[in-house]
Amino acid sequence: MPSLLTLHPRLTGLFLATTLRRHSSLSPLSRRLAFPISAAAARRQSSAASTQSLDTTPNDSPRPGRSGSLSSPPVYDSPQRIDVNPPKGTRDFPPEEMRLRNWLFDNFREVSRLFGFEEVDFPVLESEALYIRKAGEEIRDQDRGNRRVALRPELTPSLARLVMQKGKSVSLPLKWFAVGQCWRYERMTRGRRREHYQWNMDIIGVPGVTAEAELISSIVTFFKRMGITSSDVGFKVSSRKVLQEVLMCYAIPENLFGKVCIIIDKFSTFMTLFDFINAISGSDLQKFELPEVLVVNSKAKNWKQMEKIPMDEIKKELKAAELSEEAIEELLQVLSVKSLAQLEEKLGAAGEAIRDLKKLFSLAEKFGFSEWIQFDAAVVRGLAYYTGIVFEGFDREGKLRAICGGGRYDQLLSTFGGDNVPACGFGFGDAVIIELLKEKGLLPELSPLVENIVCSLDHTLQGAAAAVATILREKGQSVDLVLENRPLKWVFKRAARINARRLILVGSSEWQEGMVGVKILSTGEQYEIKVDELK
């Protein structure tokens, strides 16, 4: 779906939109008067924004000059109120939401540090050829050199590109992590948006399943820090090699393997969505864009009433992928297996899939997360590059989609023209975990925290107050400087709102003696102190 990708040249307009939305309780007249702007100014701002547009088709030539815009912006006779909501599927982060996001990201980074990982980052805008997608559509466009570009839908291909770029200048193994924004143009459900932030941890250069055990252990460590237990969350674990072994028995060509995995993953996603529908009320259903077949059948009481629809559909798609009836039946039987013992009965003990999975479950005992994981042959992960162990984090109440997921991708670099390098990793989005923490009542109350609020008692002393603020800031303390001549009642309210630790008052007589007044706001203690003795 072609889109006109406009990059904001400044953040001021976004701040204005957020402010307007957060003050929507103002009267219409107040809202119009709060931010007066002339029609000419509105046209200039609209024109300036259009200068950042990227070309959408290779045949369209940009106009001469810097703008490169393909069409003139609309001109209005009078100022038009903008839509103050962000684009569908995206979010603003006002201060209270930003505090929560920073808290979450700090925990991502701290867990990564505990496991010895180094942080990396990549461009949000990447070459479209870098991505192999299972479904949906990344948000894409063309740059002025007619190169196909995309807003990244995930981080792993960018990681692979960077590893290839570094080549032999880095020593293996690499333990890298990233926290970055990703974009996907697809249906939105609870915990899934068109943009989200994702925490990735990847290990490059370790062929054994010890790497997968380390990654799962890091996620478990994160959950424990959040107050989440194994009774709240679990991991479904399987291996792509299970499907490979089944397909090999029926001489299915290797080039069909990825297609079969995508079909199986769609079936698994279908089941997850149905569980979600059963967990919400009918009125809540209107908030989400769901496949029609799920909405129509949302009143089914259990899977027996729905079984024929997804099963018939999966058989139909597998048959279209040129699998025989016999192969389809065997494959579906294997996908229903929920224990390693059953899987071993079907596939035998000699295969790589069984060996890897047994090793992982053994390591889980040593790492201390055995109660968190369970075998489920239906977990394949939809991305085409996985080659071995795969896993998904899920909430045991079944109210949410997958919390996180990952696995081994030993051949990803070779698909980009590099050498095969053993690798595995996971992606962990910010949206679903926030929903889970809300469900469990585990979200922290994060208030703003400022160490000092500095206020002058006379407008002639505002420069002196600024000097005090500078002294404290140079000592590493946070300071909210009152920038206008305000009554003390207002200052105290401000101090309470920003959770200031102490109030520093600059008065005329005290300042003449090189002193300021200090009040510890939590205890009410008051004293005077020399400015150069402030700590």
Side-chain angles (χ1 to χ4, degrees):
M1 178 178 176
S3 61
L4 187 63
L5 180 64
T6 303
L7 307 179
H8 59 76
R10 296 185 64 185
L11 297 176
T12 308
L14 301 182
F15 168 76
L16 173 61
T18 304
T19 305
L20 282 170
R21 188 170 75 255
R22 291 170 58 76
H23 292 84
S24 58
S25 60
L26 295 172
S27 69
L29 179 59
S30 299
R31 290 197 298 269
R32 288 178 59 191
L33 294 178
F35 300 94
I37 182 171
S38 68
R43 289 194 293 271
R44 286 197 299 272
Q45 288 185 4
S46 179
S47 178
S50 72
T51 65
Q52 302 299 315
S53 300
L54 299 180
D55 303 338
T56 56
T57 63
N59 296 323
D60 286 327
S61 300
R63 294 179 178 182
R66 296 182 60 190
S67 75
S69 59
L70 300 179
S71 60
S72 299
V75 178
Y76 302 105
D77 292 332
S78 60
Q80 300 293 308
R81 179 178 170 82
I82 64 169
D83 181 355
V84 297
N85 293 303
K88 188 175 182 181
T90 66
R91 298 166 287 176
D92 291 319
F93 289 90
E96 63 274 13
E97 296 294 332
M98 198 66 192
R99 287 194 292 273
L100 182 61
R101 192 181 94 178
N102 287 338
W103 168 81
L104 180 65
F105 290 6
D106 287 346
N107 277 281
F108 287 159
R109 290 188 167 94
E110 177 60 14
V111 170
S112 300
R113 185 194 67 80
L114 291 173
F115 281 74
F117 282 64
E118 294 182 285
E119 187 166 11
V120 294
D121 199 5
F122 326 99
V124 173
L125 195 67
E126 285 274 20
S127 168
E128 184 187 50
L130 197 59
Y131 301 106
I132 303 170
R133 303 300 299 139
K134 63 167 184 177
E137 189 174 3
E138 64 274 12
I139 302 174
R140 65 192 184 199
D141 218 307
Q142 287 180 306
D143 66 11
R144 293 187 180 183
N146 289 337
R147 292 174 290 265
R148 300 295 297 180
V149 292
L151 292 173
R152 63 187 181 200
E154 55 171 320
L155 301 179
T156 307
S158 296
L159 172 84
R161 178 185 56 72
L162 182 58
V163 171
M164 290 175 62
Q165 177 199 120
K166 291 298 181 183
K168 294 183 179 179
S169 67
V170 292
S171 300
L172 300 181
L174 302 175
K175 296 173 74 176
W176 286 354
F177 82 95
V179 180
Q181 192 175 30
C182 300
W183 299 81
R184 292 172 178 172
Y185 190 79
E186 56 189 1
R187 288 184 182 273
M188 291 175 292
T189 60
R190 186 184 183 193
R192 190 174 187 89
R193 300 181 176 91
R194 288 178 176 171
E195 61 82 23
H196 70 285
Y197 285 85
Q198 187 164 296
W199 171 39
N200 275 34
M201 291 178 69
D202 294 87
I203 299 175
I204 313 294
V206 177
V209 296
T210 310
E212 284 92 330
E214 175 89 328
L215 292 172
I216 296 174
S217 179
S218 68
I219 304 173
V220 169
T221 299
F222 171 81
F223 282 141
K224 288 179 178 178
R225 289 174 65 91
M226 299 293 100
I228 294 170
T229 69
S230 58
S231 61
D232 301 318
V233 166
F235 293 87
K236 295 177 182 178
V237 178
S238 187
S239 173
R240 282 284 183 93
K241 294 175 183 177
V242 171
L243 291 184
Q244 283 180 320
E245 291 180 21
V246 173
L247 297 179
M248 284 174 60
C249 292
Y250 292 92
I252 304 300
E254 188 175 341
N255 64 336
L256 292 179
F257 177 67
K259 188 173 184 179
V260 171
C261 287
I262 291 173
I263 295 170
I264 300 302
D265 185 64
K266 283 166 61 178
F267 174 64
S268 176
T269 302
F270 188 101
M271 294 196 299
T272 302
L273 282 171
F274 182 76
D275 288 340
F276 164 64
I277 284 179
N278 276 342
I280 63 177
S281 66
S283 59
D284 289 338
L285 196 61
Q286 304 302 319
K287 300 177 184 177
F288 304 97
E289 295 181 18
L290 298 173
E292 185 177 351
V293 65
L294 285 173
V295 176
V296 170
N297 292 278
S298 62
K299 296 188 178 181
K301 294 180 180 178
N302 54 53
W303 264 105
K304 290 182 180 179
Q305 296 181 27
M306 284 287 287
E307 195 172 32
K308 289 184 180 180
I309 296 174
M311 197 59 69
D312 288 347
E313 185 64 27
I314 192 173
K315 286 181 179 180
K316 181 180 176 181
E317 292 200 33
L318 289 171
K319 193 170 182 179
E322 302 178 22
L323 269 67
S324 66
E325 293 283 351
E326 187 180 5
I328 292 172
E329 290 301 323
E330 178 66 18
L331 182 60
L332 294 179
Q333 284 185 25
V334 170
L335 291 175
S336 67
V337 170
K338 302 296 181 185
S339 74
L340 280 178
Q342 287 180 306
L343 184 67
E344 191 169 349
E345 287 178 11
K346 285 190 169 292
L347 300 182
E352 286 187 29
I354 293 293
R355 187 168 65 249
D356 289 348
L357 287 164
K358 280 186 171 181
K359 177 68 172 175
L360 179 61
F361 276 80
S362 175
L363 286 168
E365 294 281 351
K366 307 295 191 298
F367 276 88
F369 60 80
S370 58
E371 72 275 15
W372 293 75
I373 65 172
Q374 64 190 58
F375 175 73
D376 186 338
V379 174
V380 298
R381 303 292 295 164
L383 294 172
Y385 51 67
Y386 287 120
T387 57
I389 295 290
V390 286
F391 55 88
E392 284 185 357
F394 69 99
D395 78 297
R396 297 194 185 274
E397 292 184 5
K399 293 182 179 180
L400 300 168
R401 55 174 288 107
I403 302 168
C404 59
R408 180 159 290 276
Y409 52 93
D410 288 347
Q411 298 171 13
L412 179 58
L413 270 66
S414 65
T415 65
F416 299 140
D419 298 327
N420 283 334
V421 177
C424 60
F426 70 78
F428 191 122
D430 68 324
V432 179
I433 185 61
I434 291 297
E435 293 294 328
L436 179 63
L437 292 172
K438 285 179 183 176
E439 287 279 344
K440 303 298 179 183
L442 295 173
L443 281 180
E445 292 185 10
L446 301 170
S447 301
L449 182 60
V450 177
E451 291 170 297
N452 306 278
I453 182 167
V454 176
C455 174
S456 63
L457 296 178
D458 187 284
H459 73 277
T460 62
L461 293 171
Q462 285 182 349
V468 171
T470 299
I471 290 169
L472 288 170
R473 288 165 179 162
E474 288 177 349
K475 293 180 178 180
Q477 294 204 23
S478 57
V479 178
D480 182 27
L481 175 63
V482 178
L483 300 173
E484 301 172 279
N485 191 30
R486 293 280 191 169
L488 276 178
K489 183 177 180 181
W490 182 94
V491 174
F492 277 107
K493 286 183 178 179
R494 170 78 176 176
R497 190 180 70 78
I498 64 175
N499 203 22
R501 183 175 67 86
R502 65 181 179 179
L503 168 63
I504 297 177
L505 295 171
V506 181
S508 179
S509 58
E510 292 87 355
W511 185 251
Q512 289 178 8
E513 297 176 7
M515 310 278 283
V516 292
V518 176
K519 181 168 185 175
I520 307 300
L521 295 170
S522 60
T523 64
E525 177 189 358
Q526 300 183 65
Y527 57 90
E528 293 182 358
I529 189 172
K530 289 184 177 181
V531 173
D532 56 7
E533 293 178 3
L534 277 171
K535 297 180 181 179

